Amino acid sequence: MSRTIHLALHPYGVGGPGQHGLWKDPRVAKNSSIDINYYINQAKAAEHALFDALFIVDSQFINATYPAHYLNRLEPLTLLSAVATHTRHIGLVGTASSTYNSPFNLARRFASLDHISGGRAGWNVVTSFDTGTSRNFGLEEHLDYTTRYGRAVEFVKVARGLWDSYEDDAFPADPERGVFLDPSKLHALEHRGEYFDVAGPLNLSRSPQGQPVIFQAGVSEEGRDLAAQVAEGIYAPGGSLEQAQAYYSDIKTRTAAYGRDPEHIKIFIHGGPVVAATDEAARRREREIFEEDNDFDRNLALLGRSFGAYDFSVHDLDAPFPDVAHLAEKGGRTGAAKLIERARAENLTLRQVGSLVNEFHRSPFVGSPDTVADTIEKWFEARTFDGINLAFRTGDDLELFVDGVVPLLRKRGLFRTEYAADTLRGNLGLPIPANRHSRAPQLVNG
C-alpha cells in the first residue's frame, strides 16, 4: 500500500510565537482565541478538505509579554468537546501536561472527548517547559528533566491502563436477566509506581477507536525516547530537508528498538505555507509577514521562556550574552543549549541572541500552488514526514491552500479523496490497541 500524506490544522487565533502582529490584521477578529465559533469554522473547513486532525496547543503560565493568543484562550478539552458536536470525521487533538495533571482525572477527560466525538480524540503529551507553571500548582520549583520525562512515561502507562478498565462486552444491559454490567469484565488498575499510585477502575468504557491517540513533541534525547516508547503521532521540529530526514530516521529507528512497528508512529512537521498566484508574490508576502511580526521586545521575552521565563531586559543588550545556562535545566533545555553554544562560538551579544529567536528563515512551502505541491511531494518522498501540521494566518490563507494545493496533491495520488474511517486511528492508519483484559479478538479498525 502506497504512503499518503496526513494533514492537520493548527489554529492560533490572534497570534502565537512568531506571529506577534497577527491580531492587528483587519481580517482577524480580536476575540478569535476565545470564540468557539472561530474554532468550529476552522474545523469544518479542515474537515471539508479531508484533513486528519485539528490540533490545539496549550500552556498554563503567562505573563504580559506572551503572544496575544497565549494571553486569552480557551482550555483545549472544553474547546474540542464543543467542536466535536459540529464535526463527524476530523480528529481532535488537545495538549495537556503530564507534569501538572493527575492521571485519573486526565484519562477520564480524554476518554469523555473520545466518546463525545465517536472515537476522534488525541492527546498531545507535554512535560511543560514554562518554569513559572509550578507556582500555579503549589510547587516552588519546576521539576527537572529526568523527573518530568520519567513521570510522563508512567503517566501515559497509567492512562492506558485506566482506558482498559472495561472489556468491550462488559455491558450486556439485558433487562430480561436484570444484568446491566458483567462484573467479571470490570478491572481495577491497582497501579503502584515511582510517581503515581492509582487504584481505578475508570468509570468510562472504551470508545470506537479503543483509546485516544497519543501525540508528543520530542526534541531532546529524553523527548525522543519518550516519543519512541509511547507516541503514535509526533510533532517534529522541521528545519532543513536534511535535518528533517535525520529526525525522521532517528525516531523510526528508536521506535523499532522498543519493539514497535515504525509505521505505527506518524511524524508531522510544522508547516506555515504562504500560497500566492506566483512564486515572487508568495516570497514577497512571506517577507512582509516577517517584518510585521518581528518585534524585538517580544522576541526577547520569548527567549526568556527557554530559560525559565527569565527577564533578560535587566541586562545590557550590547554586552556579551549572560551566563544563564543553569536556568535552562528546568526550562527548554534543548533549544536553550543551542542558543548558548552559538552565542559562545560567535561571541554574540544579548541583542544578537534575542534577534535569533525570530530570525528570518525561508520556508520551503512558499510559492504558487504548483511550487508548494512540488515541494511537499519532494519532502514527503524524501521521508522527512508522514504529515504536516499546518498553520495559517487567516481563513483566506487556509482557503488558498485548500483550493490551490490540495487538489494537486490529490491528482498526484498523495492525499485522500475521501475519509477511510470515522475514527482518528482509522484515518491515520493506526491499529486499535488490544484491550489487555479482553478474551475476544479485537475489531478491525475503521
Side-chain angles (χ1 to χ4, degrees):
M1 180 177 177
S2 60
R3 294 170 69 229
T4 53
I5 294 170
H6 299 287
L7 296 177
L9 179 64
H10 168 202
Y12 44 53
V14 292
Q19 301 284 345
H20 300 309
L22 180 58
W23 65 272
K24 302 175 186 177
D25 191 311
R27 296 170 295 174
V28 176
K30 304 306 177 274
N31 69 336
S32 292
S33 297
I34 56 170
D35 180 6
I36 191 59
N37 291 308
Y38 162 79
Y39 296 100
I40 290 170
N41 290 335
Q42 290 271 303
K44 284 183 173 180
E47 185 170 75
H48 181 71
L50 307 182
F51 282 24
D52 291 82
L54 181 77
F55 170 52
I56 303 298
V57 300
D58 194 35
S59 62
Q60 296 172 301
F61 170 80
I62 60 163
N63 60 41
T65 68
Y66 274 47
H69 178 59
Y70 283 38
L71 297 176
N72 190 24
R73 60 178 168 180
L74 299 174
E75 188 278 321
L77 291 180
T78 308
L79 183 167
L80 290 171
S81 294
V83 171
T85 65
H86 292 267
T87 54
R88 292 185 54 201
H89 297 283
I90 194 166
L92 305 168
V93 183
T95 298
S97 173
S98 60
T99 305
Y100 298 107
N101 274 294
S102 69
F104 186 92
N105 180 268
L106 198 60
R108 189 183 186 204
R109 289 163 59 201
F110 271 106
S112 295
L113 175 62
D114 217 15
H115 275 280
I116 291 168
S117 65
R120 295 184 282 133
W123 170 23
N124 177 39
V125 182
V126 298
T127 60
S128 299
F129 76 85
D130 277 319
T131 59
T133 307
S134 61
R135 296 191 296 276
N136 289 334
F137 289 85
L139 300 176
E140 286 299 317
E141 291 189 358
H142 194 42
L143 302 180
D144 61 33
Y145 252 67
T146 301
T147 302
R148 280 154 55 200
Y149 280 95
R151 179 185 168 100
V153 171
E154 187 175 333
F155 197 118
V156 173
K157 178 182 178 181
V158 172
R160 284 175 162 162
L162 290 169
W163 289 330
D164 280 352
S165 292
Y166 287 109
E167 295 181 39
D168 293 333
D169 57 350
F171 293 98
D174 185 346
E176 293 185 5
R177 293 189 294 138
V179 177
F180 182 73
L181 166 70
D182 179 347
S184 71
K185 297 185 178 182
L186 171 61
H187 304 276
L189 184 62
E190 300 298 350
H191 175 85
R192 299 289 181 268
E194 182 177 357
Y195 300 101
F196 304 107
D197 290 341
V198 181
L202 190 68
N203 56 338
L204 192 58
S205 58
R206 282 163 53 109
S207 82
Q209 68 170 352
Q211 297 183 0
V213 179
I214 300 294
F215 288 79
Q216 206 266 337
V219 179
S220 66
E221 281 297 308
E222 295 93 336
R224 293 183 187 214
D225 247 19
L226 173 62
Q229 289 180 70
V230 306
E232 297 163 294
I234 293 182
Y235 296 115
S240 68
L241 185 145
E242 292 75 20
Q243 289 170 327
Q245 275 182 320
Y247 181 90
Y248 186 96
S249 175
D250 180 49
I251 293 295
K252 297 285 184 172
T253 300
R254 291 180 192 235
T255 302
Y258 278 107
R260 301 178 58 206
D261 185 342
E263 293 303 311
H264 293 167
I265 186 166
K266 305 299 181 182
I267 297 177
F268 287 75
I269 62 168
H270 172 76
V274 178
V275 182
T278 66
D279 291 353
E280 293 75 14
R283 288 297 177 191
R284 186 166 57 250
R285 180 56 186 148
E286 179 189 31
R287 187 73 202 195
E288 289 171 354
I289 291 170
F290 173 76
E291 296 298 339
E292 290 169 7
D293 293 326
N294 192 24
D295 182 302
F296 179 79
D297 289 339
R298 289 200 173 274
N299 291 341
L300 195 66
L302 185 59
L303 171 65
R305 288 188 68 198
S306 292
F307 295 88
Y310 183 68
D311 183 7
F312 279 103
S313 68
V314 301
H315 295 276
D316 179 354
L317 293 176
D318 295 309
F321 187 70
D323 183 9
V324 290
H326 62 288
L327 298 175
E329 179 58 31
K330 294 183 179 179
R333 187 177 68 181
T334 303
K338 290 180 180 178
L339 288 170
I340 291 170
E341 181 181 357
R342 184 168 174 182
R344 288 173 177 169
E346 301 177 24
N347 195 28
L348 300 179
T349 65
L350 173 56
R351 187 187 302 277
Q352 290 171 316
V353 175
S355 297
L356 292 177
V357 173
N358 194 28
E359 195 175 20
F360 181 70
H361 294 286
R362 283 199 155 187
S363 166
F365 308 119
V366 174
S368 68
D370 281 300
T371 296
V372 174
D374 288 345
T375 306
I376 289 174
E377 181 175 14
K378 176 184 176 181
W379 279 55
F380 182 62
E381 291 182 346
R383 299 272 176 171
T384 63
F385 64 79
D386 298 306
I388 309 176
N389 193 30
L390 296 161
F392 300 96
R393 290 175 66 83
T394 69
D396 293 344
D397 296 316
L398 170 59
E399 187 176 334
L400 284 169
F401 183 86
V402 168
D403 292 344
V405 178
V406 170
L408 296 175
L409 298 177
R410 286 200 180 106
K411 186 176 180 180
R412 303 176 193 191
L414 295 173
F415 189 62
R416 64 169 62 94
T417 57
E418 61 181 0
Y419 281 111
D422 293 328
T423 67
L424 177 55
R425 286 186 179 279
N427 288 317
L428 289 177
L430 299 172
I432 296 177
N435 188 319
R436 67 195 66 196
H437 305 294
S438 180
R439 286 154 288 191
Q442 295 295 292
L443 298 173
V444 174
N445 199 10

